[in-house]
Amino acid sequence: MPTKSPVNPENAVELFLKIGLDERVAHNTVANNKVTNNLLAVINEAGVTDGCNRTTGNLLYTVATKFPSNALVHRPVLAEYVVSSKIKTPAQLEAAFTFFSDIGPEKFSSNDFEKACGVGVEVSNEEIEHTVGEILEESKATILEQRYKTNVGDLFRRVRERQPWADPRIVKQVVDTKLRELLGERTAADDEKPVKKKKEKPAKVEEQAAVTPAQPTEEDLNPFLIFPSPEENLKVHTEVFFSDGSVLRPYNSREILEKHLKVTGGKVFTRFPPEPNGYLHIGHAKAMFVDFGLAKDRGGNCYLRYDDTNPEAEKKEYIDHIEEIVRWMGWEPFKITYTSDYFQDLYDLAVELIRRGHAYVDHQTADEIKEYREKKMNSPWRDRPVKESLKLFKEMRRGMIEEGKATLRMKQDMQSDNFNMYDLIAYRIKFTRHPKAGDKWCIYPSYDYAHCIVDSLENVTHSLCTLEFETRRASYYWLLHALGQYMPYVWEYSRLNVTNTVMSKRKLNRLVTEKYVDGWDDPRLMTLAGLRRRGVAPTAINAFVRGIGITRSDNSLIRVDRFEYHIREELNKIAARTLVVLHPLKVVITNLEAGKVIELDAKKWPDAQTNDNSALYKVPFSNVVYIESSDFRMKDSKDYYGLAPGKSVLLRYGYPIKCTDVIFGPDNETVVEIRAEYDPEKKTKPKGVLHWVAEPSPGVDPLKVEVRLFDRLFLSENPAELDDWLGDLNSNSKIVIPEAYAVSILRNAVLGDRFQFERLGYFAVDKDSTAEKLVFNRTVTLRDSYVKGGK
């Protein structure tokens, strides 16, 4: 049951000084809301609102800060023991913490408790002196050698082991006195600091030893170690502070937990609960990793549960997409469920909530509810009779009340400091056909009402969500406690925010519907459909998410280059190399016979062996080849490795060529053709290496493909914080090259294939490809070339 705490937190400092805390500690305590609330509650439980002596006050402060959270129902008992001086030493207090931590919220025997904490045990001065004497005698030789440099702390520890309930102040006095009797007065030598021996430098080694990298922590290797096992779910989940001073400390009784464990077999059960009203983005990838990942790590199960409580926004298109993307990401749901599967259970529990006096039918409009919440005022219908609310709720269910004329609200706390306890709506009327339930229902549960109950009904062990839901924890546990339902373990983690993009569902929807992008799977978006179309591998997304970790550090903005690093790492392993020229410049080899074609071996992989035909492909070399127009300039320089008049370069997998002449267009400025000679003996060794594509036969152009170069969608790192966020769109985020030249091996590429276009980046076949023309999307460049800071 909640306990009363009538103390006003504004007077906290004054009260803390009354119980003997010094001024610095009192002010530091008030700066921490959690410790302040705990200490105020303990002071009230101990009945010392008028003050107490310093020793008692310090012990109570320790109770407030260190009492085990799984046994908070017993804290008032310990407070009484402290005030009555039955527990009066830190050692006794630590023993009490251990005792309560072990038994949790269960009932206990006073005799067992008092025995464990040494209540009533008085250790006389003579007993302390005898014990100290024994210990000093045992260590006499060492003490005489080390004198006052003896480790006194170790002596105290040994006394504490033999006399755990001895007064530590008396122990210190006795130890000091007996040491002085044994050693005499301190000398100058006793106060000298010990001379530190210099470490000998190791002999120089010819070869420098390799630097050993720091060993990763267990949490780095397994981010799921932070989560408790299902059997541990007996602790108090949270503290809900009410405006009348009462505090709710919800927890599972052993009976409820054992019933839950019997159903689950002790396995971990999680759930990934998206709303089917949009496409999933990279933030959902983190949620999947946490939910499915924890279940997989512990040998448990994860539900894919559609939160389909809003029939107006849900579409089958989204439901199908979500299931497909979950599996594409490498996760397999234990079972696919819908909140609508539990509509009857939810309705029955709402009736029970009304019967228990924890819900009422309200007739305020949406604007009135908003106004009353802002003013922290109760609804005029809040205290209507239970029978009346039951009757009206049944009428809502039967469609006898107009939409917008009534809601069912939970009777929580309109004066709470937590706005998510302002009598949240449990049910509203909507005469809208439900995509799955059809016309069976005209009232629908809210997220705040349904989410926690369905977690409980599905016996979820770990309910994991992002930090913006942290303030809903109070409502989550209030409702399950009010209904006497099993309570899952709730844990919030930081949401994933990436630079140079937006992930708000509203903003994404606007980008799509107003045609700023080409649909939900536009490769510039951080939707999972967009990333897949861009060519990003799901393993790269999961590696990125795992690398970030499951932390509670809020408002962190992860640079997109960090994500791109993982994309490159994955594609480097799976993408075959090939040659494509985006902006072709014609090069005529004058010393190679026209019509002659030399077949060369090119490598699909950097470490391909020349005797492994499967790792090689053929490229033709003829007297007409094409290089990138950007790989030629009229003026050479030391730091330039491209082609220039009179200069040689090496054609990748081919021969060195030397520019002998340049042909200009009608404007006498634009280079339209280069004349060059090749070195068939490969005697020249140029530094520059260029990618290229040749005519496969005389007069026949190489394979033409369309290439789309994608870049950051927004110029600023955090466009979401801008008033004119649409004005920050990057006009060069998509550049289409309609006719690039490619080697013929790409002719057989199909949707899903990924390649490294050498010197250009990683590319993937797009769904717009046809039999007549292939389309490739650039997934990522070979290295990060983006200017830090964005705009």
Side-chain angles (χ1 to χ4, degrees):
M1 292 295 291
T3 56
K4 296 290 178 181
S5 177
V7 183
N8 187 336
E10 293 177 3
N11 301 322
V13 172
E14 181 183 348
L15 180 55
F16 296 164
L17 293 174
K18 279 185 180 180
I19 66 166
L21 299 189
D22 64 44
E23 194 165 344
R24 181 181 60 82
V25 173
H27 282 285
N28 286 345
T29 300
V30 170
N32 187 317
N33 289 334
K34 184 175 181 181
V35 176
T36 297
N37 288 329
N38 282 342
L39 186 51
L40 289 173
V42 168
I43 290 171
N44 180 66
E45 291 163 1
V48 291
T49 52
D50 293 329
C52 63
N53 63 63
R54 185 183 185 87
T55 300
T56 300
N58 285 333
L59 291 174
L60 291 176
Y61 181 84
T62 305
V63 172
T65 54
K66 296 182 68 176
F67 193 89
S69 62
N70 66 320
L72 285 171
V73 289
H74 300 313
R75 192 173 66 184
V77 175
L78 182 57
E80 290 177 14
Y81 271 84
V82 170
V83 172
S84 63
S85 295
K86 291 180 179 178
I87 287 182
K88 51 191 176 183
T89 68
Q92 287 181 298
L93 207 53
E94 288 297 330
F97 293 157
T98 301
F99 179 86
F100 285 127
S101 178
D102 289 341
I103 66 132
E106 301 300 312
K107 292 180 179 179
F108 66 94
S109 161
S110 298
N111 289 337
D112 292 344
F113 171 68
E114 292 182 358
K115 184 178 179 182
C117 302
V119 173
V121 177
E122 295 292 340
V123 182
S124 67
N125 290 0
E126 291 76 16
E127 289 175 304
I128 294 174
E129 289 179 4
H130 178 73
T131 303
V132 171
E134 283 183 340
I135 291 170
L136 293 184
E137 186 62 33
E138 292 167 5
S139 306
K140 187 173 181 179
T142 304
I143 294 171
L144 288 173
E145 180 186 349
Q146 297 180 349
R147 291 185 55 78
Y148 285 101
K149 295 184 178 68
T150 298
N151 185 347
V152 179
D154 186 59
L155 298 178
F156 289 156
R157 177 187 61 79
R158 291 162 66 186
V159 173
R160 204 160 47 240
E161 287 176 353
R162 302 184 193 185
Q163 297 287 0
W165 315 125
D167 189 323
R169 292 170 300 178
I170 298 175
V171 171
K172 184 178 185 307
Q173 290 170 6
V174 172
V175 169
D176 290 345
T177 300
K178 288 194 173 290
L179 278 176
R180 198 160 48 248
E181 290 173 356
L182 178 64
L183 302 173
E185 295 300 321
R186 298 176 74 97
T187 65
D190 291 326
D191 295 326
E192 288 179 1
K193 292 183 178 179
V195 179
K196 291 184 178 179
K197 292 183 180 179
K198 289 185 179 180
K199 292 182 179 178
E200 293 184 6
K201 291 184 179 179
K204 287 186 178 179
V205 182
E206 286 298 319
E207 287 187 18
Q208 185 177 358
V211 177
T212 304
Q215 291 297 312
T217 64
E218 283 189 290
E219 285 75 12
D220 290 331
L221 295 172
N222 184 353
F224 304 110
L225 291 176
I226 59 176
F227 298 115
S229 66
E231 295 83 0
E232 296 177 73
N233 195 357
L234 282 167
K235 298 180 180 179
V236 172
H237 289 287
T238 191
E239 290 186 313
V240 183
F241 295 92
F242 292 91
S243 56
D244 65 356
S246 59
V247 184
L248 173 65
R249 299 184 177 93
Y251 64 91
N252 288 316
S253 68
R254 191 168 295 279
E255 181 184 359
I256 287 178
L257 182 63
E258 286 176 355
K259 181 180 177 183
H260 156 79
L261 293 172
K262 188 174 181 180
V263 174
T264 63
K267 283 188 174 184
V268 164
F269 274 77
T270 59
R271 81 288 176 272
F272 174 58
E275 297 176 70
N277 59 3
Y279 277 61
L280 302 185
H281 54 63
I282 196 168
H284 293 104
K286 179 174 182 178
M288 279 187 249
F289 176 79
V290 176
D291 292 322
F292 284 99
L294 172 60
K296 183 178 181 180
D297 178 74
R298 301 285 179 86
N301 300 304
C302 181
Y303 290 96
L304 168 57
R305 184 206 304 157
Y306 293 105
D307 179 23
D308 59 340
T309 55
N310 184 2
E312 294 172 331
E314 291 144 16
K315 293 181 182 177
K316 191 174 187 305
E317 170 195 355
Y318 300 138
I319 291 173
D320 293 343
H321 156 75
I322 290 169
E323 184 176 343
E324 178 197 4
I325 283 292
V326 166
R327 290 197 162 97
W328 176 73
M329 285 295 297
W331 305 116
E332 188 61 38
F334 158 67
K335 190 182 290 185
I336 297 175
T337 62
Y338 297 75
T339 298
S340 57
D341 295 340
Y342 304 94
F343 274 178
Q344 186 62 52
D345 300 283
L346 291 165
Y347 175 79
D348 293 341
L349 286 168
V351 171
E352 181 60 26
L353 197 66
I354 298 171
R355 285 199 183 108
R356 296 186 180 199
H358 296 309
Y360 61 97
V361 172
D362 187 31
H363 300 292
Q364 288 184 299
T365 64
D367 289 339
E368 287 171 339
I369 290 174
K370 182 181 178 184
E371 178 189 352
Y372 274 55
R373 281 178 171 164
E374 288 171 353
K375 295 178 179 179
K376 292 190 172 185
M377 291 170 53
N378 290 343
S379 164
W381 287 278
R382 193 176 200 267
D383 296 320
R384 75 188 327 158
V386 167
K387 286 185 179 180
E388 196 174 305
S389 282
L390 285 170
K391 177 177 176 293
L392 288 167
F393 189 50
K394 287 178 181 177
E395 290 176 359
M396 288 171 61
R397 166 73 179 89
R398 293 170 183 163
M400 298 167 64
I401 301 178
E402 291 180 41
E403 191 168 328
K405 295 294 184 181
T407 58
L408 182 69
R409 294 179 66 182
M410 295 178 265
K411 192 182 285 189
Q412 295 168 307
D413 185 1
M414 288 296 293
Q415 288 73 46
S416 171
D417 291 333
N418 183 347
F419 64 90
N420 278 311
M421 287 293 288
Y422 290 174
D423 288 12
L424 300 179
I425 291 174
Y427 270 88
R428 69 275 197 215
I429 301 168
K430 281 184 182 292
F431 291 103
T432 303
R433 180 180 175 83
H434 190 278
K436 189 169 186 291
D439 295 323
K440 185 178 179 181
W441 296 91
C442 62
I443 58 171
Y444 294 100
S446 67
Y447 170 87
D448 291 296
Y449 173 76
H451 180 68
C452 58
I453 293 178
V454 178
D455 276 355
S456 181
L457 293 175
E458 290 188 337
N459 278 289
V460 165
T461 59
H462 298 74
S463 180
L464 311 172
C465 52
T466 47
L467 274 171
E468 66 264 33
F469 293 96
E470 188 172 23
T471 55
R472 283 182 158 98
R473 185 187 283 208
S475 172
Y476 184 104
Y477 284 121
W478 174 90
L479 181 54
L480 293 179
H481 177 268
L483 289 168
Q485 296 287 303
Y486 157 76
M487 301 177 197
Y489 170 78
V490 173
W491 199 82
E492 301 90 1
Y493 54 88
S494 59
R495 65 181 297 166
L496 176 55
N497 296 303
V498 180
T499 60
N500 302 94
T501 191
V502 293
M503 288 195 288
S504 149
K505 198 172 287 186
R506 181 180 59 82
K507 285 183 168 67
L508 285 171
N509 191 59
R510 189 170 175 191
L511 288 172
V512 172
T513 55
E514 296 182 19
K515 310 291 185 186
Y516 288 102
V517 294
D518 305 321
W520 286 99
D521 65 347
D522 187 300
R524 292 167 290 180
L525 294 177
M526 282 286 177
T527 58
L528 295 176
L531 292 172
R532 176 171 62 176
R533 185 174 179 185
R534 189 163 176 159
V536 177
T539 45
I541 301 173
N542 285 328
F544 168 60
V545 170
R546 187 184 187 99
I548 292 168
I550 310 172
T551 68
R552 286 177 56 85
S553 54
D554 200 9
N555 299 322
S556 54
L557 193 61
I558 308 298
R559 286 187 60 85
V560 70
D561 350 22
R562 184 170 175 180
F563 179 37
E564 290 176 344
Y565 164 80
H566 288 281
I567 297 173
R568 291 188 190 95
E569 284 289 293
E570 186 63 25
L571 291 177
N572 185 49
K573 295 181 286 187
I574 64 174
R577 276 55 171 172
T578 189
L579 299 171
V580 174
V581 175
L582 301 182
H583 303 286
L585 175 59
K586 187 176 183 180
V587 179
V588 177
I589 310 296
T590 57
N591 62 335
L592 180 64
E593 181 184 342
K596 182 176 180 180
V597 177
I598 303 172
E599 278 202 338
L600 303 173
D601 285 330
K603 293 182 177 181
K604 294 180 183 177
W605 311 102
D607 56 354
Q609 301 299 312
T610 54
N611 59 354
D612 182 3
N613 291 332
S614 65
L616 305 172
Y617 66 97
K618 299 292 184 182
V619 291
F621 178 70
S622 63
N623 76 317
V624 177
V625 301
Y626 295 88
I627 64 172
E628 292 286 353
S629 58
S630 58
D631 280 336
F632 177 83
R633 64 168 66 163
M634 290 300 296
K635 290 185 179 181
D636 195 12
S637 62
K638 289 183 179 179
D639 59 349
Y640 176 63
Y641 296 97
L643 192 61
K647 185 178 181 180
S648 295
V649 295
L650 177 65
L651 297 181
R652 181 78 162 143
Y653 306 120
Y655 301 96
I657 63 169
K658 181 179 181 180
C659 175
T660 57
D661 195 10
V662 180
I663 311 300
F664 294 95
D667 60 1
N668 290 323
E669 290 185 5
T670 305
V671 177
V672 295
E673 186 177 304
I674 293 170
R675 302 289 167 85
E677 293 181 352
Y678 88 110
D679 175 9
E681 304 298 325
K682 299 183 181 181
K683 291 180 179 179
T684 52
K685 304 295 180 183
K687 291 182 179 179
V689 180
L690 307 185
H691 63 283
W692 56 281
V693 175
E695 283 186 354
S697 56
V700 177
D701 287 337
L703 175 67
K704 292 179 181 178
V705 297
E706 179 178 311
V707 176
R708 298 171 182 174
L709 305 179
F710 294 105
D711 205 341
R712 272 76 158 170
L713 185 57
F714 290 91
L715 298 169
S716 299
E717 286 197 343
N718 194 4
E721 68 181 4
L722 303 176
D723 292 333
D724 183 19
W725 61 279
L726 288 171
D728 191 55
L729 282 165
N730 179 7
S731 58
N732 292 318
S733 62
K734 177 182 179 182
I735 296 173
V736 178
I737 300 168
E739 290 193 347
Y741 282 169
V743 290
S744 57
I745 191 175
L746 285 177
R747 191 182 306 278
N748 299 320
V750 295
L751 183 64
D753 285 350
R754 303 178 180 93
F755 301 91
Q756 184 196 103
F757 293 175
E758 297 205 39
R759 297 183 65 228
L760 298 177
Y762 293 98
F763 294 77
V765 180
D766 186 74
K767 67 177 185 179
D768 289 343
S769 297
T770 64
E772 291 72 34
K773 180 183 276 189
L774 285 165
V775 178
F776 291 91
N777 295 327
R778 184 171 69 187
T779 309
V780 68
T781 57
L782 290 180
R783 61 180 63 86
D784 179 31
S785 57
Y786 209 69
V787 179
K788 286 188 177 180
K791 210 172 183 177

